[in-house]
Amino acid sequence: MKLLHLLLFSAVLLTDCSSSDPANATVPENPTPENPTVPPTPLSDADLLDLVEKQTFKYFWDYAETNSGMARERYHVDDPSNDEHVITTGGSGFGLMSLVAGISRGYVSRSEGIDRLNKIANFLNTADRFHGAWSHWIEGTTGHVKPFGTKDNGGDLVETSFLTVGMITVREYFKNGNAEEQALAQKYDELWKGVDWDWYRNGQNVLYWHWSPEYDWQMNFPLEGYNECLITYVMAAASPTHPIINADSYHTGWARSGAIVSGNVQYGFPLILKHNGAAQYGGPLFWSHYSYLGLNPKQLTDQYASYWDVNFNQNKIDYLYCVANPLGFAGYGANYWGLTASYSRNTDGSVGYDAHMPSNDKGVISPTAAVSSVVYLPTESLAVMHNLYENYNAQTWGPAGFYDAHSKQYNWSAKRYLAIDQGPQVVMIENYRSELLWNLFMNAPEVQQGLLNLGFHSGKYGF
């Protein structure tokens, strides 16, 4: 989420949680022991990767919203009833990709996976839509929109783009299967083709994030780069039914008529593109994850950037910042790094949500940051995984993988999960291990044509 949206999400998060919710309670300085009583046996890199992928997959399998089969917005280990029927659209897109990975790995059987995917598709087919786009949150018991904010009660194009990446991935995985699998692929094909991407331009040469049947375009968030929204333009250009009518929206809107390019350099690494609100060091690391769960940045270029370099450099800057540790937070170093949006500990001891990054460092690392960056910095990512699993296991490891946030500075963990943080871990570990999800998405003919329409080229996929 871009920074303005993060502020809104933080307010919604705190509003939705009751005053008795431990997420808002003052946290004692030493809530848990520094280290587990019995440290786990160290694992090889390969075994640890498989364990983290398999355990994190459980978020989308064991802890899914019961009626729809989709991803819950959050899961609190200490209060499973918290928002138990609130579905996240974008997180469910990450969940669809995670289900494909889990089926491929044998974490669940193929038939079980198909049943779950049919359940999800059938639910989405009857859920509220707004010119084809789904809302940010959906009420799992009814399929109706659950407002993300007062005026955010309609279509959310960015969350919809994350969801449709998952739909294309599912379609590509099953399209050549048996009759049942082909029918499943067809369901997802029809769902994603129903989005009216061009309508979300509001007649301008830029895409807009939101539209509400009550408040029209009053949210007024044009999608201008650079942040996590690149994939929204790719999907809008790829649609065979309702595409953006030409590439002007991308070049004049997203790329700001070329002003998206940055000359800033940190720790010897060019930032390459101007990160919205974070021009010095770059934004939270999820900006290098969300758009690239399906979009393979390897050898992907356009007139503005090489996208492998964009993401590698942002991650390297984040890593080197944490190693340098200019604010002197405990624990920071080569095996304890990774700043992104997640639960966070406030200065008064309460818990909220924050967009951690070098320019907004609160002494809190988010395991999803380093884990999901395994495709860019595998050695550094695995160092964090080993450290958290072996040395902070009791504080950081739970029933659906690593908890959402940790701070050695305050000897604190947020022992809860968010779908948007768990999904990228499963997907990026699988992409690191096999490139399965990258290859499924990038080989979809509409995706390749959409990228070409925007002026992209891929040396890896030959276009």
Side-chain angles (χ1 to χ4, degrees):
M1 288 169 280
K2 66 184 177 182
L3 297 182
L4 286 174
H5 219 56
L6 280 163
L7 294 174
L8 177 61
F9 179 52
S10 180
V12 170
L13 178 77
L14 294 173
T15 300
D16 280 5
C17 297
S18 69
S19 59
S20 62
D21 183 351
N24 288 316
T26 299
V27 181
E29 288 302 310
N30 295 289
T32 55
E34 172 94 5
N35 294 301
T37 302
V38 181
T41 302
L43 301 173
S44 68
D45 287 352
D47 287 345
L48 183 59
L49 282 170
D50 190 63
L51 175 64
V52 175
E53 183 176 356
K54 185 176 183 179
Q55 190 88 346
T56 310
F57 168 80
K58 291 181 179 181
Y59 184 90
F60 301 98
W61 190 258
D62 293 346
Y63 304 109
E65 195 279 321
T66 53
N67 183 59
S68 65
M70 295 175 69
R72 294 173 53 165
E73 168 66 23
R74 58 179 63 89
Y75 180 78
H76 290 187
V77 175
D78 55 359
D79 182 14
S81 65
N82 185 295
D83 282 347
E84 63 181 323
H85 295 295
V86 177
I87 293 166
T88 168
T89 297
S92 290
F94 305 162
L96 290 176
M97 303 180 83
S98 298
L99 289 172
V100 170
I103 294 166
S104 175
R105 288 282 165 188
Y107 300 156
V108 295
S109 71
R110 198 172 181 90
S111 62
E112 289 175 316
I114 290 170
D115 287 346
R116 174 68 63 85
L117 289 165
N118 269 310
K119 182 177 185 177
I120 293 170
N122 293 340
F123 178 86
L124 285 169
N125 189 50
T126 59
D128 289 347
R129 298 179 75 172
F130 305 88
H131 293 271
W134 288 270
S135 53
H136 188 124
W137 283 341
I138 304 172
E139 173 57 52
T141 57
T142 65
H144 296 320
V145 59
K146 177 179 173 59
F148 190 71
T150 301
K151 296 181 180 180
D152 192 353
N153 65 344
D156 186 311
L157 197 67
V158 174
E159 296 288 312
T160 294
S161 68
F162 299 151
L163 179 61
T164 53
V165 171
M167 290 175 173
I168 288 179
T169 304
V170 170
R171 185 198 70 184
E172 292 297 297
Y173 188 72
F174 288 104
K175 68 179 184 181
N176 296 320
N178 59 32
E180 180 185 26
E181 293 170 354
Q182 290 183 36
L184 175 65
Q186 182 63 26
K187 286 182 180 181
Y188 281 96
D189 188 55
E190 292 174 358
L191 285 168
W192 101 268
K193 287 179 177 176
V195 182
D196 190 347
W197 304 91
D198 191 58
W199 191 84
Y200 276 82
R201 291 190 305 110
N202 188 26
Q204 309 299 313
N205 276 332
V206 68
L207 288 169
Y208 283 84
W209 197 311
H210 313 91
W211 178 81
S212 162
E214 293 180 67
Y215 300 100
D216 203 47
W217 303 100
Q218 290 184 35
M219 291 290 289
N220 194 32
F221 280 177
L223 302 184
E224 299 171 327
Y226 182 75
N227 53 27
E228 77 275 29
C229 301
L230 174 63
I231 193 63
T232 310
Y233 281 89
V234 174
M235 299 305 294
S239 172
T241 51
H242 307 287
I244 47 178
I245 55 177
N246 55 49
D248 288 349
S249 298
Y250 177 73
H251 294 292
T252 64
W254 170 257
R256 303 172 186 261
S257 299
I260 194 174
V261 175
S262 170
N264 191 42
V265 176
Q266 287 293 338
Y267 303 112
F269 290 89
L271 199 59
I272 301 176
L273 298 179
K274 292 178 182 176
H275 288 216
N276 293 339
Q280 183 177 7
Y281 290 94
L285 284 183
F286 75 85
W287 289 4
S288 70
H289 303 148
Y290 289 4
S291 280
Y292 305 96
L293 300 181
L295 192 64
N296 190 341
K298 293 181 179 179
Q299 301 178 49
L300 183 70
T301 61
D302 69 358
Q303 69 189 71
Y304 309 109
S306 162
Y307 287 87
W308 178 263
D309 293 343
V310 167
N311 293 328
F312 178 88
N313 289 5
Q314 184 194 353
N315 276 265
K316 198 70 173 180
I317 290 168
D318 187 282
Y319 168 78
L320 291 171
Y321 168 86
C322 290
V323 171
N325 192 15
L327 300 182
F329 288 122
Y332 276 34
N335 63 0
Y336 192 92
W337 63 275
L339 305 178
T340 195
S342 71
Y343 279 104
S344 187
R345 185 190 186 281
N346 300 318
T347 54
D348 64 1
S350 64
V351 177
Y353 185 86
D354 214 331
H356 308 113
M357 51 188 153
S359 60
N360 185 41
D361 183 7
K362 301 296 181 67
V364 174
I365 68 159
S366 312
T368 184
V371 174
S372 302
S373 290
V374 67
V375 296
Y376 306 119
L377 302 177
T379 299
E380 296 89 337
S381 174
L382 278 160
V384 174
M385 285 188 248
H386 279 290
N387 186 33
L388 294 182
Y389 182 73
E390 294 162 15
N391 299 317
Y392 298 92
N393 190 279
Q395 290 180 298
T396 65
W397 185 254
F402 290 117
Y403 291 125
D404 198 56
H406 183 258
S407 173
K408 184 174 181 180
Q409 175 74 22
Y410 301 109
N411 195 22
W412 167 86
S413 291
K415 292 190 174 181
R416 51 205 59 185
Y417 299 102
L418 292 168
I420 55 174
D421 289 342
Q422 298 311 103
Q425 296 180 64
V426 178
V427 174
M428 286 307 209
I429 288 176
E430 186 57 47
N431 280 332
Y432 175 70
R433 297 173 79 185
S434 71
E435 299 196 356
L436 171 67
L437 304 165
W438 276 342
N439 290 338
L440 289 169
F441 182 76
M442 292 296 290
N443 281 311
E446 309 99 313
V447 172
Q448 294 193 2
Q449 188 59 55
L451 286 165
L452 285 170
N453 291 346
L454 297 181
F456 282 84
H457 296 282
S458 172
K460 184 173 179 62
Y461 295 94
F463 64 86

